Amino acid sequence: MNTTPARPELLDAHTREQIDLALAQYQSQPGPLLQVLHAVQHRLRYIPDAAIPIIATALNLSRAEVHGVVTFYHYFRRHPPGEHIVQICQAESCKAMRGDELNAHAKQRLKVSFHQTTADGQFTLEPVYCLGNCANSPALMIDTELHGRVDAEKFDALIAAKSAAKEHD
Amino acid sequence: MRTTVYVPRDAAALSNGAEAVAAAIAAEATKRDLPIRIIRNGTRGLNWLEPLVEVATAQGRHAYGPVTPKDVESLFNSDFLAAGTHPLHLGPTEEISYLKSQQRLTFTRVGVIDPVSLEDYQAHDGYAGLRRALEMAPTQIVQAVTDSGLRGRGGAAFPTGIKWKTVHDQSAAQKYVTCNADEGDSGTFADRMLMEGDPFMLIEGMTIAGIAVGATRGFIYLRAEYPHAHRALNEAIAAAYEAGYLGRDVLSSGKTFDLEVRLGAGAYICGEETSMLESLEGKRGEVRVRPPLPAIKGLFGQPTIVNNVISLASVPVILHKGAEFYKNFGVGKSRGTIPLQLAGNIKRGGLYERAFGMTLRELLYDFGGGSATGRPIRAVQVGGPLGAYIPESQFDTAIDYEALSGIGALLGHGGVVAFDDTADMAKMARYAMEFCAVESCGKCTPCRIGSTRGVELMDRILANVDRERNLQLIDELCETMLHGSLCGLGGMTPFPVQSAMKYFPEDFRRSVQ
């Protein structure tokens, strides 16, 4: 699915700078790779493949090691996400409160499956395994905003509010 | 005089609209020219009443909830600032029966204080444990934790004092204290609530641990799904450094303890202690083969304490009030209190801290009020996604480590997820395998391959393809995973699967629509 060559020289100046800043911030820490990757993703919203050789060289690791870490963790993204990331909890507590119905509704409303982005680039839909809001199941998180007791109606209202905020910009 | 109003900043309260409620209260007070002070506290853990707004009155704190922004005008009209009568008025907070019947040792300040105010923490016995510890020899601190009977609250229930003693007895240039805050079990949120509602308590517990075992550096490994806890911890750590509770010379004792938060990245397996250490080192979270134990060769190959949030947060009260005080709560080999988390299909979900020993039925019905849907509770899963499904016939089991293990279940981190009689337990068994397949670190074959084969088998069973043979096959697969996996993920995934098959066989033999 990913055909972009991992060649640092193809990165634009801004992206390259953000990667260098992330490295400068954490390079001297013990065991810094996860922190560097978090910082890159925080700055760029994803981790470009071309960042991998840069990070590997800076931390004296092999490309395979960095690639291995990026792909091990669900949280790290190798492609830019939509404007908002909608994470719906899949775990038992939410299932006990008809979380599967919420999944189906969300997919239908946004016209995407999990790990996909809506056609207008507004929302990326992701599954997540527990948000720690289990006494308010089913739960979801939009970016870093947590919501509980979400039914179809509340889901639509949350999505509408985000879409309206965009139009207002 | 300004009246103090409390509106929680806890993520669960925010998820029900607490931010908008706080804003509406502030705006209404300004409009009416009433001087108030809003404190953003943690949650009391009464989730069905969130957002729970409290008002400090001469007669103590009064609670109102669940409050929506629409209610705010009428609250002011009813003079809620003086505990006025209102349909949402719940009376004095401490008298709410769900709270009153608890025995809060670890969560005593959560929901009460401003979580990031060091002043407030100190005014509520905060740092009394550390001060006491600094008067003791390290071996005495370790002994006190051992004597308290505290067992790891993360799930494995290993005696905390023994772990500490092992690290204490190692000689090394650098030792570490690590806190496992990768609370990934569904149905659990005690760590989150504590880190958001009383972060200083965890910081104090870790500092005591460092002083006890001679570790000068600590890490909190926090899951990335907890941005609110991340903020609260960082605010509290900064305040603790500022006031000399962390750093090169803790309370002028000459002892050093540095602490930082490191974020996980959405991998359930990193709640396993050796996987967590790999992740802290910046690697793939693959489990290590034990021995060596982390206490001997842990983070960066050095002696390391790995404790859960609640275990570490239990330490200050043990030091402050003594091992005997703590030990006097509980039954048998389960000493102290356990913060239980009531979740899933339950009417009154939330946090319930009490001495070990009450039964599941008491918890589910007396405190939980039965299911949220009003239907009979058919099953509960205790101890997260690797815990067994317990049928109604076993609800009279006492909630302690030994009693639960006696029925093939486990207490784990104390999460209790209720399901009503519409739940399809065969689908839940399939989900257990699916979860294991998604979260397997891939290092050992029974877990990596077994979980995927398990999903396929469950799909055949659900579709009634060669059903009896596949039911036998999945049972054999479970035995292989149970005995052949490197860690608890593959090794315990059979628990929910096999318990569902044992207690709810009819769900596995339904006719296909």
Side-chain angles (χ1 to χ4, degrees):
Chain A
M1 142 170 141
N2 177 39
T3 53
T4 323
R7 289 163 58 190
E9 63 271 24
L10 294 178
L11 284 176
D12 62 84
H14 168 78
T15 307
R16 175 71 206 222
E17 189 193 356
Q18 296 303 313
I19 295 165
D20 289 339
L21 285 170
L23 278 163
Q25 198 176 352
Y26 292 108
Q27 204 167 356
S28 60
Q29 300 277 320
L33 181 54
L34 248 75
Q35 287 179 295
V36 169
L37 294 174
H38 268 296
V40 170
Q41 182 158 301
H42 184 71
R43 288 163 181 275
L44 299 172
R45 306 196 70 223
Y46 77 113
I47 298 164
D49 281 352
I52 289 176
I54 301 173
I55 295 168
T57 307
L59 302 184
N60 199 22
L61 297 166
S62 71
R63 288 183 189 200
E65 281 170 302
V66 179
H67 176 87
V69 171
V70 172
T71 53
F72 182 87
Y73 294 96
H74 301 307
Y75 183 81
F76 295 133
R77 282 186 301 272
R78 296 172 65 199
H79 302 276
E83 196 91 355
H84 301 287
I85 297 166
V86 180
Q87 294 179 295
I88 302 184
C89 180
Q90 302 301 306
E92 287 85 349
S93 179
C94 289
K95 284 213 176 344
M97 289 301 280
R98 299 176 174 57
D100 287 340
E101 286 172 26
L102 178 62
N103 287 337
H105 177 78
K107 288 175 186 172
Q108 192 193 19
R109 168 71 180 74
L110 298 176
K111 299 188 182 65
V112 291
S113 293
F114 281 133
H115 310 297
Q116 292 181 345
T117 301
T118 53
D120 62 1
Q122 274 289 292
F123 301 97
T124 297
L125 189 65
E126 296 283 354
V128 69
Y129 295 89
C130 199
L131 293 164
N133 199 22
C134 319
N136 300 292
S137 294
L140 63 76
M141 189 141 82
I142 303 182
D143 304 321
T144 57
E145 219 179 87
L146 185 64
H147 297 279
R149 300 171 201 161
V150 184
D151 53 16
E153 198 185 333
K154 188 164 177 183
F155 181 86
D156 290 350
L158 289 169
I159 294 299
K162 293 289 172 196
S163 303
K166 169 76 178 175
E167 277 159 32
H168 196 72
D169 278 347
Chain B
M1 207 191 81
R2 289 194 302 169
T3 309
T4 304
V5 178
Y6 295 85
V7 185
R9 58 179 269 170
D10 176 272
L14 296 176
S15 83
N16 287 314
E19 198 61 52
V21 170
I25 291 173
E28 193 67 25
T30 307
K31 201 171 104 189
R32 296 177 188 230
D33 208 15
L34 291 168
I36 63 164
R37 177 174 73 131
I38 297 179
I39 289 185
R40 304 305 300 271
N41 56 334
T43 175
R44 296 275 193 164
L46 288 63
N47 273 268
W48 74 100
L49 296 173
E50 291 289 3
L52 181 84
V53 172
E54 288 179 83
V55 182
T57 72
Q59 291 78 41
R61 281 159 73 159
H62 276 247
Y64 294 82
V67 178
T68 67
K70 287 200 302 277
D71 302 316
V72 169
E73 197 187 342
S74 72
L75 281 170
F76 276 90
N77 289 341
S78 308
D79 199 15
F80 87 119
L81 293 178
T85 311
H86 187 276
L88 298 178
H89 189 201
L90 301 160
T93 316
E94 307 282 348
E95 295 299 318
I96 299 172
S97 64
Y98 193 90
L99 259 187
K100 201 177 179 185
S101 57
Q102 301 198 32
Q103 295 164 312
R104 288 199 167 186
L105 300 185
T106 310
F107 283 77
T108 176
R109 276 179 297 260
V110 175
V112 176
I113 63 168
D114 177 347
V116 294
S117 161
L118 190 50
E119 214 178 16
D120 217 355
Y121 183 65
Q122 287 166 315
H124 290 80
D125 290 338
Y127 278 117
L130 177 64
R131 289 180 196 282
R132 182 83 194 81
L134 286 170
E135 295 161 3
M136 297 160 73
T139 48
Q140 290 175 306
I141 304 174
V142 174
Q143 194 59 47
V145 174
T146 307
D147 291 344
S148 75
L150 177 65
R151 291 166 69 179
R153 297 284 190 259
F158 187 83
T160 306
I162 293 179
K163 221 182 235 186
W164 286 26
K165 185 172 187 315
T166 311
V167 178
H168 172 271
D169 291 349
Q170 306 299 308
S171 61
Q174 179 69 59
K175 299 179 187 176
Y176 296 102
V177 177
T178 61
C179 171
N180 186 342
D182 194 44
E183 184 178 51
D185 287 353
S186 174
T188 67
F189 44 85
D191 294 352
R192 183 185 60 67
M193 242 180 89
L194 190 119
M195 291 185 287
E196 291 180 16
D198 196 7
F200 287 113
M201 193 182 201
L202 173 60
I203 297 167
E204 182 181 354
M206 289 186 75
T207 310
I208 294 170
I211 286 163
V213 304
T216 55
R217 191 153 188 186
F219 293 96
I220 298 170
Y221 184 83
L222 178 70
R223 64 200 301 257
E225 292 85 347
Y226 283 0
H228 306 84
H230 193 202
R231 260 199 303 280
L233 284 169
N234 279 339
E235 284 178 59
I237 287 172
Y241 267 107
E242 182 76 19
Y245 285 101
L246 285 173
R248 293 180 65 84
D249 188 14
V250 174
L251 284 183
S252 311
S253 64
K255 313 235 181 195
T256 297
F257 192 69
D258 285 307
L259 181 61
E260 66 176 284
V261 181
R262 290 273 181 105
L263 280 185
Y268 177 76
I269 190 61
C270 291
E272 194 281 335
E273 62 177 3
T274 63
S275 162
M276 184 199 85
L277 294 172
E278 290 288 303
S279 188
L280 269 176
E281 291 182 10
K283 300 174 189 160
R284 290 165 67 90
E286 288 182 1
V287 300
R288 296 177 183 172
V289 179
R290 284 177 300 190
L293 295 170
I296 292 164
K297 223 169 170 259
L299 187 63
F300 302 114
Q302 303 301 312
T304 303
I305 286 182
V306 186
N307 279 156
N308 167 256
V309 173
I310 304 299
S311 313
L312 287 162
S314 301
V315 168
V317 70
I318 291 169
L319 270 290
H320 174 216
K321 299 204 168 159
E324 276 303 307
F325 169 82
Y326 191 80
K327 197 179 180 169
N328 284 336
F329 292 87
V331 291
K333 286 188 207 160
S334 303
R335 312 309 312 184
T337 58
I338 175 83
L340 295 161
Q341 300 126 81
L342 259 173
N345 196 332
I346 195 83
K347 195 168 167 195
R348 296 195 291 264
L351 184 116
Y352 200 84
E353 179 179 358
R354 213 174 132 110
F356 288 93
M358 73 173 140
T359 67
L360 274 170
R361 197 180 300 279
E362 286 173 302
L363 180 70
L364 292 167
Y365 288 97
D366 297 356
F367 305 113
S371 75
T373 44
R375 304 180 68 95
I377 298 178
R378 187 176 186 217
V380 293
Q381 186 179 34
V382 183
L386 307 176
Y389 284 105
I390 300 173
E392 200 271 340
S393 59
Q394 295 185 332
F395 285 178
D396 293 314
T397 308
I399 302 174
D400 70 62
Y401 295 120
E402 276 68 33
L404 281 167
S405 117
I407 59 162
L410 59 120
L411 179 52
H413 185 47
V416 178
V417 177
F419 293 81
D420 74 10
D421 62 352
T422 63
D424 182 335
M425 302 314 289
K427 283 198 178 143
M428 295 315 297
R430 184 196 182 278
Y431 173 76
M433 284 293 186
E434 181 192 335
F435 179 72
C436 183
V438 171
E439 297 295 343
S440 175
C441 84
K443 187 160 178 167
C444 72
T445 314
C447 175
R448 185 184 67 241
I449 310 279
S451 53
T452 298
R453 292 290 98 87
V455 174
E456 294 164 0
L457 284 173
M458 275 311 307
D459 282 340
R460 280 178 219 140
I461 291 163
L462 288 165
N464 197 9
V465 175
D466 214 356
R467 189 176 265 166
E468 292 310 314
R469 204 177 131 261
N470 282 317
L471 277 168
Q472 193 191 336
L473 203 53
I474 200 164
D475 211 35
E476 286 169 17
L477 174 68
C478 282
E479 291 302 311
T480 304
M481 290 175 72
L482 189 73
H483 298 291
S485 300
L486 204 50
C487 82
L489 180 51
M492 290 160 70
T493 292
F495 293 168
V497 177
Q498 289 182 308
S499 57
M501 288 167 67
K502 181 174 173 188
Y503 296 116
F504 308 98
E506 63 276 22
D507 289 22
F508 292 77
R509 290 182 168 81
R510 285 209 179 118
S511 55
V512 182
Q513 279 121 22

